[in-house]
Amino acid sequence: MTIRQKTLANIAFTFFSLVTVLFLFSSLQAIREGENLDRSNLLKDLVRVRLALEEEARELNRTAADWAFWDDTYDFLRDFGADYIADNLEPSSLSALRVHDFLLFDPSGHLLLSRSVDPEEVRPLPLLPGLDALGGPGQPFHLSRVPREGIKGLLQVSGGTILAAARPILNSQGQGTLRGVLVLVRRLDSLALQHLRERTQVHFDLLPLGPHIAPPAARFESQGEDAHRGFVPLEDLTGNPSLWISATQHKAHVLLAKRNLTHMALVFLVASLFLGTVAAWGMERILIHRLQRFQEELRVIGDTENPAGRVTEEGDDELGDLARRINRTLASLEESQLAKRLTDRALRSAHQELSEAYDKTLEGWSFAMDLRDKETEGHTLRVTERTLALARHLGFPEEEQAHMRRGALLHDIGKLGIPDRILLKEGPLTKEEWAIMRQHPVFAYEMLSPIRYLHPALSIPYCHHERWDGTGYPQGLSGEQIPRSARLFAVVDIWDALSSDRPYRAAWPQERVYEHLRSLRGTHLDPQGVDAFFETFPLEAESRPS
């Protein structure tokens, strides 16, 4: 078999095998990814329902606390005054609380008082069967089993499934003799479940948890080729698995992947035919014809033993290079060394250009952060310059200074992950909003850690809110556990924050700023870092008129 025949046969076999493998792999991958996406979407919907139920339980527990620590409730269990019932336990009052059942148990577990209402129609209801016994000995709402912070969650009673919250009854200072237990109940009837479906945008069902199932893992069942059903367990208020949240969805991504496979097969077939033809023609023109001529010229040179004979030098590729190597001697060692020096110089130049491009990119990121947070406009460049000046004063190596510069430029990059409603909020932040805001160092770490080039610069974005006494965040590091660069940057960051105008206050005088930094020495800030800052930027120079 000639080279031409072997080459064409090899091209045909290679392209056929490659296209077949690629098509099969792409098909399996597309279906697998579609299945994973569909399961992920279904699991997110089920978890959203579970979180909504948990939020309702927390809300119910907060309402129960308001009533259980109310002096009127405390006094009612002493004298059983009728005014308490008339003023507070009418159907309209309970309907406003969005509860179905209101119960008071004495310390021994006897039901002292109960009221039941339909919150939608504002009318009395019979007490749900099974609720009256829940305060007895051994029951979940007996006084001995209800802590001061209360218990809350799902519960299965003979009358159905409920959300309940229980609190011990104390006075408004949370003190006094325990006079019983207050229980609020929200029935999970069909109307309540429908409201929850509308709120979560998930058409789910609550199903009994079979004895043959081992929660808590979620599970999925196929409902034919077009749909699947997911199950996520729910625990009751005692911490035991009680129910499944279940929902059925179409396999949208899988169906889309299957519809695309036919088009993909046609594309692969046409592409393989076209590429195979082009490859065969190119191989003939570029390789086979030249190899045959090269073979003939070498045969002539060998037959004639003519040292002046030469093969044709054609093309700037492997064959052309081989011909030139046959027709010339090797380059001298000096030329090789020169080529090496030129290559090394080019590599160093390329590395420098790449580093400059990286640094320009980081400056662009920091500028984008300042544009988004108008309150800190110009803050990034100021703290970067001061941090570098402090590092130079302390004799940091130039390479470490470069990493500190990048870390300072990116110190607040994690705020890109903070919603505008929190970052740009004009008033004080709530406890929940502060919890989100304090995640920005974690967001910075997650954003930057995949970039190997920035690993040495991560200390400042990730740790500049840690405190010397260990009360900072996100890791609660203390003392020298905190990277030195982050400890120094924290001093500069606080200096700039207090020295700059803000919408809610004017900049502090430098004397006051320096006094405040001195007060944070050894608690919030590294003592040596504060001392180094004062040495690098004396108060006299800062206070001097510009």
Side-chain angles (χ1 to χ4, degrees), residues 52 54 77 134 142 165 261 288 330 437 504 512 546:
E54 292 172 357
L77 291 185
L134 294 179
H142 189 265
L261 287 179
I288 298 176
L330 294 174
M437 177 65 79
Y504 47 86
R512 184 182 177 188
S546 58

Side-chain angles (χ1 to χ4, degrees), residues 239-457:
N240 296 315
S242 176
L243 294 169
W244 286 115
I245 305 174
S246 175
T248 300
Q249 284 186 356
H250 287 290
K251 297 180 180 179
H253 292 90
V254 171
L255 293 175
L256 179 61
K258 289 180 177 179
R259 284 197 298 269
N260 289 336
L261 287 179
T262 302
H263 303 290
M264 187 185 302
L266 181 60
V267 170
F268 271 87
L269 178 59
V270 173
S272 65
L273 292 174
F274 174 78
L275 292 176
T277 302
V278 171
W281 176 83
M283 191 67 70
E284 173 72 22
R285 294 283 297 175
I286 298 171
L287 180 62
I288 298 176
H289 175 70
R290 292 171 62 193
L291 278 175
Q292 289 175 335
R293 187 178 63 189
F294 195 42
Q295 181 186 28
E296 179 62 22
E297 290 175 342
L298 286 176
R299 185 189 63 79
V300 170
I301 293 173
D303 290 345
T304 61
E305 298 183 358
N306 180 13
R310 293 291 184 270
V311 296
T312 303
E313 297 182 5
E314 179 183 9
D316 190 19
D317 52 20
E318 289 85 348
L319 285 179
D321 183 62
L322 179 58
R324 286 186 289 273
R325 285 177 183 273
I326 292 174
N327 294 335
R328 72 172 185 259
T329 60
L330 294 174
S332 65
L333 180 60
E334 181 181 2
E335 292 174 338
S336 298
Q337 292 175 342
L338 176 60
K340 183 179 183 300
R341 287 197 297 270
L342 293 175
T343 301
D344 291 342
R345 186 182 304 168
L347 288 175
R348 287 194 297 271
S349 177
H351 181 268
Q352 182 178 356
E353 291 176 1
L354 185 59
S355 297
E356 292 174 357
Y358 279 146
D359 289 343
K360 291 297 182 183
T361 300
L362 302 188
E363 292 176 7
W365 288 356
S366 66
F367 180 69
M369 188 64 245
D370 280 357
L371 286 178
R372 181 169 182 248
D373 188 2
K374 294 295 185 181
E375 183 174 299
T376 60
E377 186 171 4
H379 163 74
T380 300
L381 292 181
R382 290 193 301 272
V383 296
T384 299
E385 292 172 358
R386 287 252 166 169
T387 301
L388 291 179
L390 185 56
R392 286 192 295 269
H393 176 78
L394 293 175
F396 277 59
E398 289 187 5
E399 183 178 359
E400 190 170 354
Q401 290 183 39
H403 296 317
M404 291 179 67
R405 177 179 181 275
R406 296 176 187 125
L409 285 172
L410 298 175
H411 74 280
D412 271 343
I413 195 70
K415 288 184 179 179
L416 291 174
I418 303 299
D420 286 346
R421 61 182 177 80
I422 297 177
L423 183 66
L424 305 180
K425 184 175 180 181
E426 296 182 358
L429 299 182
T430 65
K431 182 179 180 181
E432 292 77 11
E433 289 170 338
W434 265 117
I436 295 173
M437 177 65 79
R438 286 174 179 163
Q439 287 297 304
H440 79 268
V442 178
F443 294 159
Y445 181 85
E446 293 173 347
M447 291 169 63
L448 302 178
S449 59
I451 306 174
R452 184 180 300 274
Y453 176 78
L454 294 178
H455 282 188

Side-chain angles (χ1 to χ4, degrees), residues 5-140:
Q5 292 171 334
K6 292 179 180 179
T7 301
L8 294 178
N10 185 63
I11 289 174
F13 176 79
T14 301
F15 271 92
F16 177 80
S17 302
L18 179 61
V19 168
T20 301
V21 171
L22 286 176
F23 176 75
L24 292 176
F25 176 80
S26 300
S27 301
L28 292 175
Q29 189 70 13
I31 293 175
R32 186 183 298 111
E33 289 181 359
E35 187 79 28
N36 291 338
L37 285 172
D38 288 330
R39 285 193 175 190
S40 176
N41 290 340
L42 179 55
L43 182 60
K44 288 178 182 177
D45 288 344
L46 295 173
V47 171
R48 186 160 67 248
V49 175
R50 184 169 64 187
L51 293 176
L53 285 168
E54 292 172 357
E55 177 58 30
E56 288 202 15
R58 288 193 292 271
E59 174 196 343
L60 201 62
N61 192 41
R62 289 191 292 267
T63 303
D66 292 339
W67 284 73
F69 297 156
W70 186 25
D71 288 337
D72 287 2
T73 304
Y74 190 77
D75 294 338
F76 171 74
L77 291 185
R78 180 187 60 200
D79 52 29
F80 298 94
D83 290 342
Y84 177 87
I85 299 175
D87 293 342
N88 303 299
L89 301 182
E90 290 297 320
S92 59
S93 300
L94 296 180
S95 176
L97 299 177
R98 294 178 55 242
V99 299
H100 291 84
D101 302 279
F102 179 99
L103 303 96
L104 294 175
F105 293 96
D106 67 12
S108 64
H110 295 102
L111 181 63
L112 298 177
L113 174 68
S114 68
R115 289 290 185 273
S116 300
V117 66
D118 184 336
E120 299 291 332
E121 299 183 4
V122 194
R123 60 181 177 83
L125 290 175
L127 183 66
L128 190 68
L131 292 182
D132 54 343
L134 294 179
Q139 295 299 315

Side-chain angles (χ1 to χ4, degrees), residues 499-520:
S499 301
S500 304
D501 289 329
R502 292 288 188 269
Y504 47 86
R505 62 159 175 79
W508 287 11
Q510 286 300 303
E511 292 80 4
R512 184 182 177 188
V513 174
Y514 274 54
E515 184 60 34
H516 184 70
L517 291 177
R518 191 173 290 106
S519 71
L520 300 180

